Amino acid sequence: MKNRTNHGPLFVALGTWFLFATSGALAQQAPSTPTSAGTATTETQAPAFTPETTAAPPEEEVVKLSPFEVTAAPENSYTAATTLAGNRLNTDLRDIGNAVTVVTAQYLKDIAATDNQSLLQYTTNTEVGGIYGNYAGAGDGSHLDESFRFTNPNTNTRVRGLTSADNTREYFLTSIPWEGYNVDGVDLQRGPNSILFGQGSPAGIINTRLKQASFKDSNEVSFRLGSWGSTRATLDINRVLLKNELAIRIDAVRNDQKYKQDPAYSLQKRIYGAVRYEPGFLKKGNARTVIKANIEFGKVSSNTPRELPPNDLITPWFYSGNYTGRNVANQVFSYPYLNKLTVSPQQNEDDNSGVPYHGFDRPSHNGPGGKYPGNPPVFPPSIAYSGTPNEFFQPWISGSMSDVFSSPAFVFQYNNATQGTAINWEPTGNHGMDTNGSNGTRSSSVTIYERPASVSSYSAFASKARLYYGDLPAWQFGIYKDKSLTDPSVFDFYNQLLDGPTKWEWQRFRTYNLNLAQTFFNDLTGFEASYNREWYRSGNVRLLQQDSLNIDFNRVYSDGSPNGKNGVPFEDGTPNPNLGKPYVGFSGRFGNRNDVSNR
């Protein structure tokens, strides 16, 4: 549980607003009738035509806004002339000193943009992650990780190639992802904004203007169908309760987004209300008072799709032969590939008994040395490591099945997810052996150390291979990247979510804003005071956690005996029915969280 409380200061804006109005008259000149000279004929002039006079349609009453608010643009327009992004006052864009882009409500509607992921791919100097985005946003380490964006993919943005922008609602920092159903426009302010809004992201801010109640009745209902069964329904109702004094607005959305990857989805249910009150009894002379309030409740449930192919921990098992190269000291080193190697859990971990072809996962043992036949590889002098190198150490092998430790482990087949098989891969008890490989040194209940094997990732291989096969240059800087499995014939990551139904995320929130604006001298000067409060809860469950496809090459379970079979200890364990099958798995210990923030 993570709690964060930010007591934001009461926001007060003081300013002077200058209004300039111009008027003009349109002059209409009647066309002159050309005449012809020297004609021999006489024409009879037709009587003058008098056009029918029609009454001009009544003009709509103009709603006068305060200097502290702005509309995104004229109706059905892609361009906006003014913004609050420059100085928190209604200012012409041409007078703003930094890069600001205003996205109007009409533009959002026409490109069907409802969030950052569907908008920022169209705007200037902006990038957004996600399967519909234009960059991954998964970091640049040896292992690309997109999991931290699952809960709120709306924050996976980058502006001017720097970092993610701050998300704000009416210029208040927010954790709530914006949704287009109650948005009147989006202000993109690119670049540092700390001079205007305090400490913030060097990439800028993405601000959403919320729809406000207005003194004009309106209704709008929409329903949209999308790919793979997606549906979206919205409601927007504005009602004037007291003419030119009191209005109320209600907006709601139910957005059920489905994806090509099955069973990924995102379901949003949100409702928003706004009130505007300009009390007539407070309109004294050229002063007026504007009171506004809005509130929103919402919840999001999702199983966010993955944009990256799975990590490839299958292909190295099929590598055959040996790899030979030179280390940074120009020394020749060689290590064998896996060549479809199969192991038993005890064989994988046993680096003390001296049995040939044991201890693949153990880089050294605690003995005095000389226990293994053959000549161990030369230990690089640049590596300070205690113990004696293990001749059979194999850097392509990991000592855990996708970080699955302890027991029991439950195995579910892809075609029968209703019933699992419990496997005691790692027997519990006091693990240990003496220097001769015998058990019973600590108590009568000593258990041989056993742990199933799996394929190492490429970055893990680079870290382990350097110990005994020579330094791999700059391995510690993450330049040996994990490789992706991009062959859909092995796993169809285009249509199938690697996690299946074993992960899900949620977001719950409520927020409200109270605003008082008081102006004088026909809006030439005034002040505004705002109070904003937000409660946001988010979390996720990831039972598998792994984004890798591995292969099970353990021959037997961990239930064998020291006597073993055919002279091989513990080889009499139960044959593993999943030998040679790909799998995805994890302990489920990490990545499950629940965060609460208050602003």
Side-chain angles (χ1 to χ4, degrees), residues 539-555:
N540 65 278
V541 169
R542 295 174 59 200
L543 299 182
L544 289 179
Q545 181 94 7
Q546 278 290 331
D547 53 2
S548 305
L549 270 177
N550 213 309
I551 193 163
D552 188 350
F553 57 91
N554 297 275
R555 290 190 302 269

Side-chain angles (χ1 to χ4, degrees), residues 27 36 154 188 222 226 250 382 435 456 467 525 530 570 593:
S36 177
N154 209 41
L188 305 175
S222 69
I250 300 294
S382 61
T435 57
S456 294
L467 290 175
T525 187
S530 294
F570 298 94
R593 57 187 301 166

Side-chain angles (χ1 to χ4, degrees), residues 567-584:
V568 180
F570 298 94
E571 195 65 23
D572 56 343
T574 303
N576 179 13
N578 295 311
L579 177 64
K581 291 182 180 181
Y583 71 90
V584 57

Side-chain angles (χ1 to χ4, degrees), residues 56-124:
E59 294 185 359
E60 294 185 358
E61 185 176 358
V62 178
V63 178
K64 185 178 181 182
L65 302 176
S66 74
F68 306 105
E69 53 189 339
V70 63
T71 57
E75 189 175 359
N76 302 324
S77 174
Y78 282 1
T79 60
T82 61
T83 182
L84 300 180
N87 55 15
R88 200 54 181 85
L89 293 173
N90 191 336
T91 307
D92 287 342
L93 280 170
R94 61 186 179 185
D95 296 331
I96 303 298
N98 55 353
V100 178
T101 299
V102 178
V103 180
T104 66
Q106 185 63 43
Y107 185 76
L108 291 173
K109 182 181 296 185
D110 287 354
I111 64 172
T114 59
D115 54 15
N116 280 338
Q117 189 173 188
S118 52
L119 170 64
L120 298 187
Q121 54 186 298
Y122 296 103
T123 51
T124 305

Side-chain angles (χ1 to χ4, degrees), residues 375-391:
N375 295 318
V378 177
F379 193 75
S382 61
I383 303 297
Y385 197 88
S386 61
T388 303
N390 179 5
E391 180 182 9

Side-chain angles (χ1 to χ4, degrees), residues 256-326:
D256 188 3
Q257 178 72 42
K258 301 296 178 58
Y259 300 90
K260 188 175 184 180
Q261 285 184 354
D262 183 52
Y265 74 96
S266 175
L267 176 61
Q268 293 196 57
K269 299 177 182 179
R270 303 168 67 150
I271 187 168
Y272 167 83
V275 176
R276 183 185 186 91
Y277 183 41
E278 296 188 25
F281 67 92
L282 292 180
K283 292 181 180 180
K284 304 295 183 182
N286 52 24
R288 69 168 176 154
T289 304
V290 180
I291 301 172
K292 297 185 298 180
N294 63 68
I295 188 169
E296 184 177 12
F297 298 91
K299 62 180 181 179
V300 183
S301 302
S302 63
N303 186 358
T304 306
R306 289 182 177 272
E307 57 184 297
L308 301 178
N311 191 31
D312 183 8
L313 301 185
I314 292 182
T315 304
W317 190 63
F318 292 92
Y319 288 158
S320 59
N322 296 330
Y323 177 83
T324 301
R326 291 180 177 271

Side-chain angles (χ1 to χ4, degrees), residues 117-148:
Q117 189 173 188
S118 52
L119 170 64
L120 298 187
Q121 54 186 298
Y122 296 103
T123 51
T124 305
N125 280 337
T126 57
E127 296 169 288
V128 61
I131 59 172
Y132 297 126
N134 49 10
Y135 96 118
D140 58 357
S142 59
H143 180 79
L144 300 181
D145 183 16
E146 58 182 321
S147 61
F148 64 103

